[in-house]
Every structure is written in structure tokens, then in C-alpha cells.
Amino acid sequence: MARLSVKPETVHRDWDDVTKFRGNPFTDYSYGADDDEQEYDVIHRVEFAQPAANGAAGSPLDPVTLYLAVKNYGPHPVLLYFDNNLNIGDPLEVTIPVGHWVEYVDLNPTTQPRIRVDNTLYSTPSECEILECGYTIWEEEEPEPDCDAWAVGHIPQDGGGTKHFPEAGVWATVANTLTDPEKEVWLADVAGTAVADYWAVGYKMEEGFPVEGFLAHWDDVDWTEEVTASDPPFYGDWGYEAGFYWAVGGLGQGEIWDWNGAAWTQDLANEQDSRIFRAVHGIDAADTWAVGDYGDPDALIFHHDGISWTPNSNPIECNLYGVWANGSYASGNDVWVCGGSLGWWGASGGTGCVFRRAAGVWIPAVLPPNTPTLRAIWGFSNSNIWAVGDQGTIIHWDGFVWMTWPEPDGLLGNYDYRGVFGCFPWQVWAIGTTGTGDNVIIEWDGVAWSIVHGPNADEMDLLGLKGVSLVL
């Protein structure tokens, strides 16, 4: 079990094992072996948070004057050790279960700290049974989580591949027969609900223009085209369960199609509007968002409540290419969209945008200067979100500010990032393309971005990326 030791007089900020938000009064910590010198597992993640009393969201707990708030992102328990340096009472040791918040309050050097677990305050360790306070519990090693993911893109007429990150843990090119003797096939996005259940969506091209849709299913053996009459070009998809997927796109009008486990059928044809849907994501079958192109006076945004699709008015003046939903429609919160001034394909650069829907209102984000068009967005909480886009752009939201993160050495902004996805905060990928067949896949490991596949020249442009979490 990892042990996190904290003292109240020092400050810390890095990305190795702990993420600390701004405003925390602590300036020192150690994160490593326990008393028996057993090495800690670097897969543990904890997060310092700032309570509402200090003017920012982060901790769901009540305001306090002096505090230390920690959340365990898992997948294993973490031992939190606090010593106020004056030996007022015994130092406190708290085993933090996966997914729990712990906060030390009243950290005055002359008093014994109290412990708040989620929203319950405990005066002494003996009262804190939920966290097994005051001693260490050794548990059997749990299976480590992993991720299965696909990256898709252009399939040349002479045959091509898709990119797969399987349980073996290495990105590899998987050959397929998703070709057409007369048209070029482009897979624009991919989504899955299980290792043996992915749908890739896209379009076929004639003379440089998308003319019809393309749907293909992965069953853990092969990719197989699903032939559907009169389907439009598709640009995004998302699945909630094996018998429930959405695909969005359009040709001359925005269209949304759904998979019911047996067939794809049209669910919405936005006949009064020529704008095209580009991305879709949701919470469940009764709470889904589809977004797309801008048209005066707003961007194309529709919401599905489990019964029907309805337009959502907004003040957004940019094309939307990514959406990530993290909260229910009823709550009015936690829907993030990104995009920019440029079209879906072709030119690179322009001006990027991010909006968050909070309390039913779309709020623009303040982005780093000169942020170009953003193509995809993915997150794990409202304080841990990634967005990627043109000219090597990678930005991260930590709950307070959007910050630019550098690409891996040697890429130099030559790639436009079209997709970002992760199963866990310490395992995130982004796919880059040049528009001329070169591609690269990079990975965030909780510390920095690095190249994990490529760069590959004259192979295939990558456009879509998603996956599913699994336990080995």
C-alpha cells in the first residue's frame, strides 16, 4: 500500500504522483514506501483539492480555515499519514478507499486535527471506522485496470489498417478489408462498449467529397461493413451498451442514426438546417448530446432525453467538433464542448473555443493565448479534462485554468490532433495526423506526453479514437 505523508508547513506542486490545486497551504509531502519499506505502486493517484471557502470548486466538503483534502482515484487504497510536528496526540494514519475524499480540518499546531470523510466529520481516529483510521490494513493485491482502444482513419483503396491497443498493451496496426473498389473509405470515429463490440463510422469519398456513409463493426475477430441504405456521411459515434449506439453526421442536413442491436435507422433529420453534426456523447440512454457546425446565431447542439432530440439554444459562435458529458441534463451542469473557427477538414489553425454548460448556461472558457481550432475533448472529472487540436495543441483543465502542455520532443507542432481518450487519468492517448497520410499516437502517463506509436509516414490519416476500460 502506498503511503502519503504530509506536514503543514511546506508546499508541493508536480505531476508525478500527486496533483495539488492552487491555494493549498501545504508545502511539503512525501509519497513512497511505508514503514516496512515496501515499494509503493505508482498507479496510485491522489489529488489535493481546494475547498469552496477559498473561492474555487474542488472539494465537496464544507469550508474550513486550514485544511488538507485528498481524493483517491484508485485503483488501490492509499495510506494518508499526517503529523503536526508538535506531537499533539498521535500522528494520524488513514487508509483512503478508492473513490473517497478525506479532509483534515482545524490544522492548528496546538490542536489535534479532526478528519472529515466525504461529508462526515470525525473528532478522533476511533470514530473513523469507514477509513480504518489509526492503523494500516494490508490487502490482497487487486487486479490492475487496463484499457482497450482503437484509432481509425483513412482506409486507402489498396487496403489499410486500423490501430488497436489490446490487452497486451502495445499499439499495433490491424489489417482490414474495409475498402471499396470505386470510392475511398474514411473512418471518422469509433466507439465501443466492450472488447468485442465496437462501431466505426465514416464516409465514402468521390472526387474529394463525402457522398455516403460507412458503418463497420468489430467483434474481436474482424471488422465487418454494415450496409445500410441511404445513410449520410458520419463524423461521430458513441455507445452506451451493446444494443444502443448513436451515429451523427449529415449531407445537406444534420442527421442522427441509432443502433438498436439489430439495425441502424435514422432517428433525426434536421431538414430546416444545412449544418452537419460532428460529435456525440452522453451519460446514458436518456441523456445524450450531439454537436456540430456553427450557423448564425449559434452552434448546432441537440439533446436527447430518452424520447426525442431537441435543439439547445446557445451563444456559441464556433464550429463544435468535440463533446464530453459528465453530468445530467436535469442538474444543468457538466457538459463540455470544443471546436474552432475552421472547417472540419482541410485547413489547420484558426481560433479555438471551449464552452461548459453549467446551471443550464453555456459559459466560454478562457484559453491559453493563440489556441487554434480544437478537435476533441475528454475528461475524468470537472477538474481533469484534456482538449487537443491543430498544430500540436494539447491543453488541460485542472479545475482552475486551461494550461498548454508540450508535445513529445521532436513533433514540433507538425501534427493536428484529432482525437483524445483515456480510461484512467494516468493513461490518456491523443492521435495526430498531417492530412497527407502521416500519423502519430502519443500517451500521457500522469507525468508527461510521449510517443508510443509512430511517427508513421505515408500510411493513413487518423481521425477517431475511443476505447473501453477493462480489468486484467
Side-chain angles (χ1 to χ4, degrees):
M1 183 182 298
R3 171 165 148 166
L4 172 65
S5 300
V6 181
K7 297 180 180 180
E9 74 275 9
T10 48
V11 160
H12 164 66
R13 174 78 168 92
D14 75 19
W15 285 91
D16 286 341
D17 299 298
V18 178
T19 301
K20 189 200 82 167
F21 291 161
R22 293 165 179 74
N24 198 293
F26 291 89
T27 57
D28 189 25
Y29 86 108
S30 64
Y31 188 58
D34 52 58
D35 289 337
D36 295 328
E37 298 184 355
Q38 177 170 324
E39 291 299 319
Y40 70 92
D41 184 352
V42 297
I43 205 168
H44 293 131
R45 300 291 163 182
V46 296
E47 176 180 341
F48 287 93
Q50 179 172 343
N54 285 17
S59 171
L61 309 176
D62 295 334
V64 292
T65 302
L66 291 174
Y67 66 92
L68 166 65
V70 179
K71 182 177 182 180
N72 181 12
Y73 281 113
H76 306 295
V78 172
L79 179 66
L80 177 64
Y81 175 90
F82 179 81
D83 187 348
N84 62 9
N85 292 327
L86 295 180
N87 296 318
I88 305 298
D90 294 329
L92 298 180
E93 294 183 350
V94 180
T95 302
I96 310 174
V98 173
H100 279 279
W101 285 90
V102 176
E103 185 167 34
Y104 286 98
V105 299
D106 301 336
L107 297 180
N108 189 299
T110 63
T111 62
Q112 174 69 27
R114 292 178 293 166
I115 300 171
R116 194 189 307 267
V117 181
D118 297 331
N119 288 316
T120 303
L121 182 66
Y122 299 89
S123 298
T124 64
S126 62
E127 298 179 18
C128 188
E129 295 179 359
I130 184 175
L131 291 184
E132 300 158 346
C133 295
Y135 57 94
T136 302
I137 297 296
W138 296 98
E139 299 184 1
E140 295 294 327
E141 187 71 16
E142 300 177 9
E144 292 192 358
D146 210 332
C147 197
D148 183 89
W150 284 91
V152 299
H154 180 213
I155 308 296
Q157 289 181 323
D158 58 358
T162 47
K163 306 292 186 180
H164 186 211
F165 183 88
E167 296 179 22
V170 178
W171 282 97
T173 301
V174 178
N176 63 70
T177 58
L178 303 178
T179 59
D180 186 285
E182 299 178 356
K183 305 180 182 72
E184 286 190 87
V185 175
W186 288 74
L187 300 177
D189 202 5
V190 63
T193 61
V195 172
D197 181 44
Y198 281 86
W199 282 97
V201 304
Y203 48 86
K204 295 181 181 181
M205 299 266 287
E206 278 187 345
E207 298 180 355
F209 293 96
V211 293
E212 61 183 272
F214 190 89
L215 299 157
H217 184 260
W218 172 259
D219 61 3
D220 206 24
V221 178
D222 295 306
W223 284 102
T224 304
E225 180 181 0
E226 178 80 8
V227 179
T228 303
S230 303
D231 53 344
F234 294 114
Y235 298 94
D237 71 328
W238 172 71
Y240 173 65
E241 58 188 17
F244 189 93
Y245 281 81
W246 297 108
V248 301
L251 183 63
Q253 64 180 15
E255 294 189 38
I256 301 176
W257 288 53
D258 76 275
W259 169 256
N260 61 11
W264 284 95
T265 57
Q266 185 189 77
D267 199 61
L268 172 72
N270 197 25
E271 297 178 354
Q272 279 74 46
D273 197 329
S274 62
R275 291 178 294 175
I276 305 303
F277 290 105
R278 305 294 184 176
V280 59
H281 190 253
I283 302 300
D284 53 37
D287 198 348
T288 308
W289 294 87
V291 303
D293 297 341
Y294 168 73
D296 191 20
D298 60 6
L300 183 63
I301 302 178
F302 270 64
H303 178 260
H304 193 271
D305 60 3
I307 299 174
S308 62
W309 290 95
T310 55
N312 185 268
S313 61
N314 61 85
I316 300 174
E317 297 183 359
C318 61
N319 301 308
L320 297 180
Y321 301 128
V323 56
W324 181 69
N326 188 43
S328 69
Y329 181 82
S331 70
N333 292 323
D334 307 339
V335 180
W336 300 76
V337 296
C338 73
S341 59
L342 295 187
W344 189 82
W345 184 252
S348 175
T351 302
C353 68
V354 170
F355 281 76
R356 177 187 182 183
R357 184 177 183 271
V361 178
W362 291 100
I363 302 171
V366 178
L367 301 181
N370 304 314
T371 298
T373 298
L374 298 169
R375 305 292 179 173
I377 189 168
W378 191 263
F380 302 95
S381 70
N382 288 323
S383 59
N384 189 358
I385 301 173
W386 294 96
V388 299
D390 291 352
Q391 300 173 353
T393 298
I394 305 169
I395 60 175
H396 181 263
W397 171 255
D398 64 1
F400 295 89
V401 64
W402 284 97
M403 296 181 291
T404 300
W405 278 86
E407 290 183 283
D409 292 342
L411 295 185
L412 304 176
N414 295 327
Y415 290 86
D416 295 335
Y417 292 107
R418 305 286 304 198
V420 60
F421 170 81
C423 290
F424 311 101
W426 56 91
Q427 188 180 45
V428 183
W429 297 288
I431 54 171
T433 188
T434 60
T436 58
D438 301 349
N439 67 68
V440 69
I441 301 176
I442 62 175
E443 180 180 21
W444 169 260
D445 62 2
V447 179
W449 289 92
S450 61
I451 298 173
V452 292
H453 189 70
N456 302 298
D458 300 322
E459 185 192 40
M460 59 181 291
D461 289 301
L462 294 176
L463 302 180
L465 168 68
K466 287 195 192 80
V468 295
S469 62
L470 54 100
V471 177
L472 293 177

